[in-house]
C-alpha cells in the first residue's frame, strides 16, 4: 500500500515511542529478576548454604513390602525374605570409568563376583544407561559375613553402600509356579506398555517402577494383581555429606505395604496333586461345585519360580523352554484339548433339553455308523447292541452319541456347551487364558468359509473335531453338572482379609430330572458293573464318585495303520499317543468337589486320568492323605505303595526355609 | 509500493550484505548458547555426548538457518508471512487431530533428526503475520474495533489449539507476544486496559472454578498454581522442584561453587535440570555474578533489538523486530521467574540455554528475520 513519506515518518515515530515504552517495561522486569537473584543468591544465601553446601539433601524412595500371598488356610505361598545386597552410586564412586572400575575391582576381592558380574555392573553404571545418582545393585543375596565385610571396608569403597531389603520368596516353589507366577525386574517392554497406558488413560507411572531392577509381577497372580500387591512408595529425605555418606534422615513419609492376598487354593491339596501328576505332562483342577472356589489347579511338570526371581541362567531357561512337556505353560488355562468322551454329557444334556430323546430312548449300536460313504466307528468294534442314555454314558458308546448328536444338531449342542462353561473365557488372574472352542455353524462359515457338514456334527458329538476345552473349562462343566448352577471359578479368596464376593451362580435353567439323568449316567460310568471308569470307583459309600473318562485322538490314522494295529498307544511315539481325560465330582449324593484331569498323550482316560481324579477328589474330601478304606479292596496294595512313593511336603521343617517378613 | 521498496536501490546486495549484519548481536547470542553448553556439560557430570554435543550441533544448524534467512530480503519474508502462518496453523492442526489418534498425545511432529513443535514455530509466524497486517493496514484504522478483531482472531486461533494440547506456557506466550506487536503498532491503550481488567476477572474465575464440574484448567495445572503459592506445603511432591531450585540458586552465593563443583543441582531430583531448570546449575556453580552476567547478556540482546527497531523506518521490519524481542523476553522472564519462585511452573525453556531442538532453532530463525530486517533496512 502506498503511503506518503510523511505518514510513514509519523507511524514510525509512534512505533518508536511504543517500543521505548515496552523496552522500559522489560527493563523493569529484568531489574526485578536481578533483584530476586540477589535476594536468593546473596541475602538468603546463608540459609540455603546451610542446607546445601556441606550436606546435600537427597530424596530416596522407600520401596514398600510386597503383599503376601497365602492359601485358603493362611499358609504362605509368596513372601518376602531379607536380602543383603550391595549397591553402587556412580557419582560417588568416581569421576572416570577407570576409578569406578577400580572400586568394583576392590569389591570383587571382598565378595564373590565373576568377571561377567563386573562387566554387567560397569554397563549399568554407564551414565548414559542410568543417571549417575541412581544406586545400582551389583551383588545380591549375600550372606551376613560378606555383607559385614563390605560394611567394614566402606572407607576404601567410595559410592558402595551395603543395603538390606526385601526380595520375593516362594517357599512352596514348584507347587504354585503357574498360578502365582513370579516377579522380575521391570523391563524396557514393561515400561513401554506402561507409557502407552499412561497416554491412553492419563494415569501416571508409579515412580517405584523407575528404580532399576524393581521387581514386579511377570505372570500369574503376581502379574494380574500387581497393583494390589505392590503397595505405595514411601519417601525419605536424607542429608548426605560431600562424599555421599548418609548423615541423617530429615523426614520420612512411610509408604503403604502391598495388600495381602488369600487364594482359594488349598496348598496341601495342591501339593498332593502336583506330586500325584509327577512328571507327566498333565493338568488337574479341583473345584468347589457350590461356590466355584478353585481348591487346586495344577499344571505339570512345573518349575521353580525362585529361579526367575534370582535371575535364571540361560542354561536353566533353555532347559525349561526346550523341554517337550512344556513346563512353563500353564496347561490349566492355556492348554486347549479335544475333550473326547468327556463331552458326551453336553451332547446328552442338549438332546434331553431339546426333547429329541428321553432317558429310555434306545439306539442300536452295530459298532459303526455310515454317513455319506464314511464310516464312523464306535470304540467297541463288535458294537454295544441296544443302548439307552445310561448305558451310552457308562459304556461310552460312540454310536449312541453319533445318532443323538445328529438329532439335536450342532447349534443346540454349542448352546448347551456354552452354558456349561465350554468355549467361553473364564476370567482368572492368569496369563494367556484360552477360550477353548465351542464351534457352531456360523463359526465354521466365518472361520473357514465352509458350510458345516453332518460329519462335523458326528465328530463334535463325541468331543472330537473342532471342539476344544481347557482343563479349567472341563472342571467348570463338571461343577455345573453337579450343582445345576452356573458357578464361576474364583481363585482370589480375599484381599487384606476382605473377602472377594462370590459370583452367585444362577441356575442352569435345566429341568432337574434331565440333569439327574446325566448325573445317573456319570454315576454308572464309575460304579456300574460295566462302567468304563469302574477301576476308579470309590469304595466308601459316603464319598462315591460320578465321572466320565475321555480318550482324545491326537491324530488321524490311515486304514492301513488301523489294520496293522499301529494304533495301539504303546506302539506309538509319545507325541502321537492319545490324551487321557477324566471329569468327575463327589460325593455322588451331595456333590462338593468337581475335578478334571488331562494327561497329555497319557493313553486311555479311564486307565490313566481316572485314578488321578479319584485321588485328587479324595484328598480334597478327606482333608488328608486318602485312607486306604476308600479304595476297592483289590486295589489297596498298589494304592498303598503309590501313596508311599509320593514326594509330598511335610508339614514340619522339611520345606525350604520359612520366609521372614 | 511501500516506503521500503521505494528506496530499494539503497539496500545492500550480494556478498556486501555480510557487512551489514549485526555481528555484535550474533556474538551475544553465541555467548549465551556457549554458557548453555558449559552447563549441559557440567550437568551430565563432565560428559559432552549426553547433552552438550547435540545442543552444539543444533545451534550450528540454527546459525546456518539464521544466515540463510538473513540474506534473503525482508520484503520476501513479508510476502511469505501469510503462507507461513497457514503452514504453522496446518501443522498445529495435524498435531491436534492426528496427535491423539496416531501418535499418542504428542505436541510435536517427528522429523527424524529432531522433533518439531508447531507451537514454537507459531510464535514466529504469528509475529510475522501481525507485523505484515499492520504494515498493510492504514495507520488511522488500527484502533477501530473491526480492525482490532482481526489480529485478535489471528492470535486466539492458534492459542486455542495450543491450550488444548495442553500447553499453558506456550499459549500464554502466544497471547502476550501477539499483544506486544499490537501494542507496538499503536492500538489504543484503552483496549489493553480493558483486556487487563477482563483478564484479572478471568483469572479469578479460573481459580474459583477449581473443583467445580466446569473447572477451566486441568488438575495438574491447578496443582502447579497451589505449589507456586506455597511450595513448602508439599515438599516431597510437586513443591519439590521449586524448593530444590531455590536451594541450588541460594547455595551458590556471590561467586558460586565453581565450574563442575555444583552438587545441589546435579542432585537429580530436578527432573528438568537440563531443560527448564538449567538456570539453577548456573546459579549454583557461578553464583550471583554468573547469574547476573547472563541476565546482562539477555538484556543486551533486547537492547540491540530495540535499537534496531527504532533505527528501522520500515513498519513491517520494526514490528517484526519488536515482536521477536517480545517473545525472547517472555521466554526468559517467564522461565527465570518460574525458577526463582516468582511464577508458577509452566514449562517454558530458558532461551538458547535449555536443552531442546525446537526452541533453539525457532529462536535462531527469528533472529535470522531480525538480521534480514537490519541488513535490508532502507538507508
Amino acid at each position: 500500500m502506498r503511503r506518503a513519506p510523511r505518514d510513514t515518518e509519523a507511524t514510525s515515530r509512534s512505533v518508536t515511542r511504543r517500543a521505548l515504552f515496552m523496552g522500559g517495561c522489560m527493563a523493569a522486569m529484568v531489574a526485578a529478576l536481578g533483584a530476586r537473584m540477589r535476594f536468593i543468591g546473596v541475602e538468603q544465601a546463608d540459609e540455603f548454604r546451610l542446607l546445601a553446601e556441606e550436606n546435600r539433601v537427597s530424596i530416596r524412595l522407600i520401596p514398600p513390602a510386597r503383599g503376601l500371598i497365602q492359601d485358603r488356610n493362611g499358609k504362605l505361598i509368596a513372601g518376602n525374605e531379607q536380602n543383603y545386597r550391595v549397591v553402587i552410586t556412580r557419582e560417588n564412586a568416581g569421576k572416570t570409568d577407570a576409578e569406578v572400575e577400580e572400586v568394583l575391582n576392590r569389591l570383587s576381592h571382598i565378595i564373590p563376583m565373576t568377571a561377567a558380574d563386573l562387566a554387567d555392573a560397569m554397563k549399568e553404571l554407564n551414565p548414559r544407561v542410568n543417571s549417575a545418582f541412581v544406586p545400582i545393585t551389583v551383588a545380591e543375596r549375600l550372606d551376613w559375613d560378606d555383607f559385614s565385610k563390605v560394611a567394614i571396608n566402606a572407607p576404601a569403597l567410595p559410592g558402595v553402600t551395603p543395603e538390606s531389603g526385601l526380595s520375593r520368596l516362594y517357599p512352596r516353589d514348584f507347587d504354585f509356579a503357574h498360578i502365582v507366577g513370579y516377579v522380575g525386574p521391570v523391563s524396557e517392554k514393561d515400561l513401554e506398555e506402561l507409557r502407552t497406558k499412561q497416554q491412553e488413560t492419563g494415569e501416571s507411572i508409579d515412580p517405584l517402577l523407575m528404580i532399576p531392577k524393581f521387581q514386579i509381577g511377570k505372570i500369574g497372580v503376581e502379574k494380574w494383581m500387581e497393583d494390589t500387591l505392590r503397595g505405595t512408595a514411601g519417601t525419605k529425605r536424607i542429608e548426605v555429606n560431600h562424599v555421599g555418606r548418609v548423615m541423617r534422615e530429615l523426614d520420612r513419609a512411610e509408604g503403604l505395604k502391598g495388600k495381602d492376598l488369600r487364594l482359594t487354593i488349598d496348598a496341601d491339596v495342591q501339593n498332593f496333586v502336583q506330586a500325584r501328576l509327577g512328571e507327566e505332562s498333565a493338568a488337574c483342577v479341583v473345584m468347589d461345585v457350590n461356590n466355584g472356589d478353585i481348591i487346586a489347579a495344577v499344571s505339570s511338570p512345573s518349575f521353580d519360580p525362585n529361579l526367575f526371581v534370582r535371575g535364571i541362567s540361560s542354561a536353566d531357561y533353555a532347559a525349561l523352554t526346550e523341554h517337550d512337556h512344556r513346563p512353563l505353560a500353564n496347561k490349566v488355562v492355556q492348554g486347549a484339548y479335544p475333550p473326547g468322551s468327556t463331552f458326551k454329557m453336553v451332547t446328552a444334556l442338549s438332546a434331553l433339553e431339546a426333547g429329541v430323546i428321553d432317558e429310555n430312548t434306545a439306539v442300536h449300536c452295530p459298532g459303526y455308523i455310515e454317513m455319506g460313504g464314511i464310516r464312523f466307528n464306535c470304540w467297541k468294534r463288535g458294537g454295544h447292541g441296544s443302548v439307552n442314555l445310561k448305558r451310552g454314558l457308562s459304556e461310552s458308546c460312540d454310536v449312541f452319541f453319533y445318532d443323538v448328536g445328529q438329532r439335536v444338531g450342532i447349534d443346540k449342542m454349542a448352546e448347551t456347551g456354552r452354558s456349561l462353561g465350554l468355549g467361553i473365557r473364564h476370567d482368572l488372574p492368569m496369563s494367556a487364558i484360552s477360550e477353548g472352542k465351542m464351534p457352531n455353524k456360523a463359526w465354521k462359515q466365518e472361520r473357514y468359509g465352509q458350510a458345516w457338514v453332518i460329519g462335523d456334527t458326528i465328530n463334535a458329538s463325541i468331543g472330537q473335531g473342532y471342539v476344544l476345552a481347557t482343563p479349567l473349562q472341563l472342571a467348570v462343566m463338571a461343577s455345573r453338572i453337579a450343582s445345576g448352577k452356573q458357578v464361576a471359578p474364583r481363585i482370589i479368596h480375599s484381599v487384606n482379609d476382605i473377602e472377594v464376593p462370590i459370583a452367585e451362580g444362577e441356575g442352569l435353567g435345566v429341568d432337574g430330572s434331565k440333569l439327574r439323568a446325566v448325573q445317573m449316567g456319570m454315576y454308572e460310568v464309575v460304579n456300574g458293573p460295566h462302567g468304563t471308569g469302574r477301576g476308579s470307583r470309590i469304595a466308601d459309600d459316603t464319598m462315591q464318585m460320578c465321572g466320565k473318562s475321555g480318550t482324545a485322538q491326537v491324530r488321524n490314522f490311515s486304514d492301513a495303520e488301523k489294520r496293522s494295529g499301529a494304533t495301539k498307544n504303546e506302539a506309538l511315539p509319545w507325541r502321537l499317543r492319545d490324551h487321557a481325560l477324566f471329569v468327575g465330582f463327589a460325593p455322588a449324593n451331595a456333590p462338593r468337589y468337581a475335578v478334571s484331569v488331562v494327561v497329555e498323550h497319557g493313553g486311555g482316560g479311564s486307565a490313566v486320568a481316572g485314578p488321578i481324579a479319584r485321588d485328587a477328589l479324595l484328598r480334597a474330601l478327606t482333608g488328608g492323605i486318602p485312607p486306604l478304606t476308600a479304595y476297592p479292596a483289590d486295589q489297596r496294595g498298589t494304592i498303598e505303595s503309590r501313596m508311599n512313593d509320593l514326594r509330598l511336603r511335610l508339614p514340619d521343617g522339611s520345606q525350604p526355609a520359612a520366609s521372614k517378613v | 509500493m511501500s516506503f521500503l521498496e521505494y528506496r530499494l536501490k539503497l539496500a545492500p546486495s550480494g556478498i556486501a550484505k555480510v557487512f551489514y549484519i549485526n555481528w555484535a548481536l550474533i556474538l551475544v547470542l553465541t555467548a549465551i548458547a556457549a554458557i548453555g553448553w558449559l552447563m549441559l556439560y557440567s550437568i551430565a557430570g563432565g560428559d559432552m555426548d549426553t547433552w552438550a554435543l547435540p545442543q552444539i550441533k543444533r545451534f550450528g544448524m540454527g546459525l546456518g538457518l539464521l544466515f540463510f534467512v538473513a540474506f534473503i530480503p525482508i520484503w520476501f519474508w513479508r510476502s511469505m508471512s501469510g503462507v507461513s502462518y497457514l503452514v504453522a496453523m496446518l501443522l498445529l492442526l495435524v498435531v491436534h487431530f492426528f496427535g491423539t489418534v496416531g501418535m499418542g498425545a504428542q505436541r510435536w511432529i517427528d522429523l527424524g533428526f529432531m522433533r518439531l513443535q508447531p507451537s514454537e514455530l507459531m510464535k514466529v509466524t504469528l509475529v510475522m503475520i501481525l507485523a505484515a497486517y499492520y504494515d498493510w493496514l492504514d495507520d488511522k484504522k488500527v484502533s477501530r474495533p473491526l480492525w482490532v478483531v482481526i489480529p485478535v482472531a489471528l492470535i486466539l486461533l492458534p492459542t486455542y489449539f495450543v491450550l488444548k494440547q495442553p500447553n499453558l506456557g506456550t499459549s500464554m506466550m502466544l497471547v502476550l507476544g501477539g499483544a506486544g506487536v499490537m501494542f507496538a503498532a499503536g492500538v489504543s491503550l484503552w483496549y489493553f486496559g480493558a483486556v487487563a481488567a477482563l483478564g484479572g476477572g478471568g483469572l479469578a474465575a479460573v481459580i474459583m472454578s477449581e473443583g467445580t464440574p466446569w473447572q477451566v484448567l486441568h488438575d495438574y495445572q491447578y496443582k502447579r498454581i497451589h505449589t507456586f503459592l506455597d511450595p513448602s506445603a508439599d515438599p516431597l511432591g510437586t513443591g519439590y522442584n521449586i524448593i530444590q531450585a531455590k536451594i541450588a540458586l541460594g547455595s551458590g552465593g556471590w561467586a558460586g561453587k565453581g565450574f563442575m563443583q555444583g552438587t545441589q543441582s546435579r542432585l537429580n531430583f530436578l527432573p528438568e535440570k537440563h531443560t527448564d531448570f538449567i538456570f539453577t546449575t548456573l546459579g549454583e556453580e557461578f553464583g550471583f555474578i554468573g547469574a547476573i552476567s547472563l541476565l546482562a547478556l539477555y538484556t543486551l540482546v533486547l537492547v540491540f533489538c530495540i535499537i534496531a527497531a527504532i533505527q528501522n523506518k520500515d513498519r513491517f521490519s520494526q514490528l517484526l523486530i519488536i515482536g521477536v524481542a517480545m517473545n525472547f523476553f517472555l521466554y526468559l522472564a517467564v522461565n527465570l521467574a518460574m525458577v526463582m519462585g516468582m511464577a508458577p511452573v509452566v514449562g517454558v525453556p530458558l532461551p538458547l540455554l535449555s536443552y531442546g531442538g525446537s526452541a533453539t532453532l525457532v529462536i535462531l530463525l527469528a533472529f535470522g528475520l531480525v538480521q534480514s530486517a537490519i541488513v535490508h533496512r532502507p538507508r
Side-chain angles (χ1 to χ4, degrees):
Chain A
M1 161 163 205
R2 184 186 295 271
R3 284 196 196 101
R6 194 183 302 141
D7 283 356
T8 313
E9 290 290 341
T11 60
S12 171
R13 267 201 305 280
S14 141
V15 171
T16 301
R17 268 200 310 278
R18 294 260 171 134
L20 284 174
F21 179 77
M22 286 170 77
C25 292
M26 288 180 191
M29 182 66 193
V30 166
L33 289 172
R36 179 75 177 174
M37 274 177 206
R38 206 185 115 76
F39 179 66
I40 294 179
V42 181
E43 281 163 31
Q44 282 194 328
D46 291 343
E47 185 187 319
F48 290 127
R49 199 173 290 133
L50 268 181
L51 275 170
E53 196 138 83
E54 289 307 319
N55 295 316
R56 307 182 312 183
V57 180
S58 161
I59 285 198
R60 301 271 159 90
L61 288 175
I62 314 170
R66 197 172 171 83
L68 307 181
I69 302 179
Q70 299 165 327
D71 86 335
R72 66 185 294 119
N73 300 315
K75 288 189 176 142
L76 192 67
I77 299 171
N80 304 310
E81 64 171 345
Q82 201 69 36
N83 176 13
Y84 296 111
R85 58 173 177 250
V86 172
V87 299
I88 297 190
T89 314
R90 161 93 196 196
E91 66 176 355
N92 299 326
K95 292 245 184 293
T96 64
D97 282 358
E99 280 173 30
V100 177
E101 220 161 347
E102 175 56 30
V103 171
L104 279 175
N105 241 328
R106 269 181 244 154
L107 188 63
S108 70
H109 291 299
I110 303 175
I111 57 173
M113 281 177 85
T114 63
D117 291 342
L118 286 175
D120 277 354
M122 272 317 281
K123 215 172 88 194
E124 290 278 310
L125 282 165
N126 185 326
R128 252 171 285 167
V129 177
N130 284 301
S131 303
F133 61 91
V134 175
I136 306 289
T137 305
V138 287
E140 275 197 283
R141 283 165 219 285
L142 297 175
D143 58 33
W144 176 249
D145 280 356
D146 285 338
F147 186 69
S148 349
K149 271 193 245 165
V150 174
I152 291 167
N153 287 297
L157 300 164
V160 174
T161 324
E163 274 188 4
S164 73
L166 297 174
S167 70
R168 205 60 159 166
L169 181 74
Y170 301 104
R172 290 178 173 252
D173 42 48
F174 284 84
D175 291 356
F176 286 91
H178 296 108
I179 295 177
V180 167
Y182 49 83
V183 296
V186 182
S187 66
E188 250 331 290
K189 197 167 146 271
D190 296 330
L191 279 179
E192 208 50 56
E193 280 170 18
L194 285 165
R195 286 194 196 104
T196 332
K197 196 175 147 205
Q198 182 193 25
Q199 288 191 339
E200 280 164 10
T201 62
E203 252 172 69
S204 57
I205 297 178
D206 191 334
L208 277 173
L209 303 179
M210 300 300 178
I211 299 177
K213 294 194 179 172
F214 185 76
Q215 308 259 302
I216 61 166
K218 293 291 185 175
I219 62 163
V221 171
E222 290 272 31
K223 172 174 180 170
W224 297 97
M225 301 298 286
E226 170 67 27
D227 292 345
T228 309
L229 289 166
R230 191 193 302 143
T232 322
T235 45
K236 57 182 173 186
R237 271 205 308 161
I238 50 172
E239 242 176 61
V240 288
N241 71 4
H242 63 287
V243 291
R245 180 146 307 130
V246 178
M247 301 305 285
R248 68 196 174 102
E249 197 175 293
L250 292 175
D251 55 24
R252 157 193 282 262
E254 286 298 345
L256 219 58
K257 182 185 176 305
K259 291 185 181 138
D260 294 342
L261 292 184
R262 188 171 282 214
L263 304 184
T264 59
I265 307 270
D266 183 318
D268 295 328
V269 178
Q270 177 85 1
N271 175 241
F272 176 86
V273 176
Q274 186 86 55
R276 180 67 181 80
L277 292 180
E279 283 308 302
E280 291 284 3
S281 179
C284 172
V285 180
V286 179
M287 197 170 148
D288 188 312
V289 300
N290 292 310
N291 59 16
D293 276 4
I294 293 184
I295 306 298
V298 178
S299 176
S300 172
S302 188
F303 60 93
D304 184 356
N306 292 307
L307 288 179
F308 284 83
V309 180
R310 285 163 199 165
I312 190 166
S313 71
S314 52
D316 284 348
Y317 189 65
L320 288 176
T321 51
E322 284 161 20
H323 197 304
D324 65 350
H325 285 28
R326 295 175 291 128
L328 289 177
N330 181 4
K331 293 169 186 127
V332 168
V333 294
Q334 294 169 6
Y337 308 93
S341 299
T342 59
F343 186 77
K344 286 175 179 167
M345 275 85 77
V346 176
T347 311
L349 194 60
S350 71
L352 286 169
E353 272 218 277
V356 295
I357 61 164
D358 61 26
E359 286 172 54
N360 304 316
T361 308
V363 170
H364 178 74
C365 168
Y368 63 90
I369 59 164
E370 268 195 352
M371 185 57 60
I374 303 169
R375 180 178 273 219
F376 294 88
N377 287 313
C378 185
W379 68 270
K380 192 172 180 183
R381 279 304 165 83
H384 289 88
S386 178
V387 180
N388 63 6
L389 173 63
K390 193 195 267 182
R391 221 182 134 210
L393 277 172
S394 71
E395 296 178 33
S396 204
C397 172
D398 292 335
V399 167
F400 177 82
F401 290 96
Y402 292 153
D403 190 35
V404 169
Q406 286 178 67
R407 293 194 210 176
V408 66
I410 185 64
D411 284 347
K412 286 229 171 73
M413 267 155 62
E415 217 172 278
T416 306
R418 253 178 257 279
S419 74
L420 290 176
L422 303 183
I424 54 173
R425 188 178 185 281
H426 296 288
D427 201 25
L428 287 180
M430 293 190 192
S431 306
I433 297 176
S434 165
E435 252 185 34
K437 180 78 61 205
M438 190 62 246
N440 59 13
K441 288 177 182 164
W443 170 82
K444 191 183 177 190
Q445 189 64 45
E446 191 191 322
R447 175 75 175 77
Y448 293 104
Q450 290 169 7
W452 186 270
V453 295
I454 197 74
D456 293 332
T457 306
I458 291 173
N459 275 327
S461 66
I462 60 157
Q464 294 280 165
Y466 297 114
V467 188
L468 292 175
T470 65
L472 175 70
Q473 288 173 331
L474 292 174
V476 171
M477 177 183 82
S479 297
R480 291 185 178 179
I481 292 174
S483 67
K485 288 188 296 186
Q486 283 202 319
V487 284
R490 175 178 86 149
I491 202 162
I492 306 292
H493 180 276
S494 53
V495 177
N496 259 3
D497 289 332
I498 299 165
E499 192 170 342
V500 175
I502 297 167
E504 203 46 66
E506 290 173 25
L508 279 174
V510 178
D511 187 51
S513 67
K514 289 169 182 163
L515 200 62
R516 255 190 309 281
V518 174
Q519 289 169 348
M520 273 314 293
M522 289 175 75
Y523 178 84
E524 285 296 310
V525 169
V526 182
N527 303 295
H530 303 290
T532 51
R534 186 167 169 76
S536 307
R537 71 189 182 281
I538 293 174
D540 187 328
D541 282 346
T542 60
M543 294 189 285
Q544 280 181 322
M545 176 166 80
C546 298
K548 182 76 193 78
S549 61
T551 306
Q553 273 182 21
V554 177
R555 54 165 286 192
N556 293 319
F557 295 102
S558 68
D559 288 343
E561 283 171 317
K562 284 176 187 162
R563 273 193 298 277
S564 68
T567 57
K568 283 270 175 286
N569 268 301
E570 296 73 34
L572 289 169
W574 179 76
R575 287 187 49 246
L576 300 178
R577 292 181 199 164
D578 298 338
H579 292 324
L581 297 95
F582 195 92
V583 301
F585 57 85
N589 47 7
R592 280 182 62 200
Y593 297 111
V595 67
S596 73
V597 175
V598 176
V599 182
E600 285 187 358
H601 312 296
S606 47
V608 178
I612 297 175
R614 170 173 64 180
D615 290 349
L617 276 178
L618 280 173
R619 178 66 186 77
L621 283 169
T622 57
I625 304 300
L628 283 176
T629 51
Y631 294 90
D634 56 332
Q635 296 176 9
R636 287 179 190 163
T638 38
I639 298 281
E640 185 172 18
S641 64
R642 189 200 291 146
M643 290 291 176
N644 287 337
D645 286 348
L646 285 185
R647 298 202 358 251
L648 296 175
R649 277 171 208 286
L650 298 176
D652 60 292
S654 67
Q655 294 170 12
S659 99
K660 304 156 206 130
V661 179
Chain B
M1 191 190 280
S2 77
F3 178 73
L4 177 91
E5 284 155 82
Y6 187 62
R7 316 250 327 242
L8 187 61
K9 55 182 171 293
L10 295 176
S13 64
I15 200 73
K17 290 178 180 181
V18 172
F19 300 108
Y20 291 86
I21 283 178
N22 187 342
W23 287 102
L25 177 55
I26 289 177
L27 196 68
V28 174
L29 292 175
T30 311
I32 293 173
I35 292 173
W37 305 334
L38 278 180
M39 285 357 289
L40 289 174
Y41 175 79
S42 169
I43 293 169
D47 184 69
M48 282 297 279
D49 299 347
T50 323
W51 290 310
L53 209 57
Q55 187 69 1
I56 290 174
K57 283 181 187 155
R58 283 182 197 143
F59 184 80
M61 230 160 73
L63 214 53
L65 188 67
L66 183 151
F67 285 119
F68 175 76
V69 172
F71 274 68
I72 293 172
I74 189 69
W75 47 86
F76 171 78
W77 293 120
R78 187 190 56 199
S79 62
M80 289 302 289
S81 34
V83 177
S84 52
Y85 179 82
L86 285 179
V87 168
M89 198 60 226
L90 200 70
L91 291 177
L92 213 50
L93 289 177
V94 166
V95 172
H96 180 75
F97 287 110
F98 300 99
T100 44
V101 190
M103 298 183 270
Q106 286 183 356
R107 296 170 175 178
W108 54 74
I109 292 169
D110 209 329
L111 295 180
F113 61 96
M114 65 168 289
R115 286 165 166 180
L116 178 73
Q117 289 191 29
S119 55
E120 289 291 324
L121 195 60
M122 184 46 93
K123 287 178 190 164
V124 179
T125 54
L126 182 64
V127 166
M128 284 171 73
I129 191 144
L130 289 174
Y133 171 79
Y134 282 111
D135 182 38
W136 164 83
L137 186 66
D138 187 344
D139 190 37
K140 294 176 189 62
K141 293 180 187 162
V142 281
S143 288
R144 291 190 193 157
L146 175 68
W147 300 104
V148 171
V149 167
I150 293 173
V152 167
L154 286 175
I155 295 169
L156 291 186
L157 186 66
T159 305
Y160 171 78
F161 289 105
V162 175
L163 201 56
K164 280 277 153 189
Q165 280 181 352
N167 188 343
L168 187 61
T170 304
S171 45
M172 229 167 63
M173 283 184 61
L174 282 175
V175 170
L176 289 176
V181 178
M182 290 177 70
F183 180 83
V187 175
S188 167
L189 291 175
W190 288 109
Y191 286 106
F192 293 97
V195 169
L198 276 177
L203 195 66
V206 163
I207 289 171
M208 274 156 58
S209 72
E210 187 194 350
T212 61
W214 47 88
Q215 68 176 28
V216 183
L217 301 179
H218 285 261
D219 283 343
Y220 78 90
Q221 288 168 327
Y222 278 113
K223 216 166 172 186
R224 283 177 173 181
I225 293 175
H226 290 306
T227 307
F228 160 63
L229 294 174
D230 185 10
S232 54
D234 181 17
L236 295 175
T238 42
Y240 186 71
N241 274 2
I242 292 176
I243 290 181
Q244 286 299 315
K246 275 163 66 172
I247 291 178
L249 284 171
S251 64
W254 258 106
K257 295 175 184 165
F259 182 52
M260 301 277 295
Q261 301 302 308
T263 49
Q264 194 64 26
S265 53
R266 272 195 281 140
L267 249 191
N268 326 307
F269 294 100
L270 285 177
E272 286 153 289
K273 60 190 184 297
H274 61 292
T275 56
D276 291 356
F277 280 83
I278 192 168
F279 182 70
T280 55
T281 312
L282 181 83
E284 191 186 14
E285 298 194 353
F286 294 117
F288 174 67
I289 294 175
I292 208 79
S293 306
L294 178 74
L295 196 61
L297 285 175
Y298 277 135
T299 312
L300 213 51
V301 173
L302 297 175
V303 168
F304 278 134
C305 285
I306 289 174
I307 290 175
I310 293 174
Q311 278 183 344
N312 214 311
K313 293 291 177 275
D314 174 51
R315 193 168 163 78
F316 175 73
S317 301
Q318 281 186 310
L319 293 176
L320 178 80
I321 296 171
I322 291 172
V324 169
M326 182 72 186
N327 268 300
F328 190 75
F329 168 76
L330 285 173
Y331 266 120
L332 74 97
V334 171
N335 178 276
L336 291 181
M338 162 183 100
V339 170
M340 292 191 286
M342 296 161 75
V345 177
V346 284
V348 169
L350 192 56
L352 298 175
L353 243 71
S354 288
Y355 180 80
S358 277
T360 305
L361 276 180
V362 166
I363 288 167
L364 290 171
L365 169 78
F367 279 104
L369 292 168
V370 169
Q371 292 287 6
S372 170
I374 291 173
V375 170
H376 302 95
R377 86 182 152 92
R379 293 184 164 84

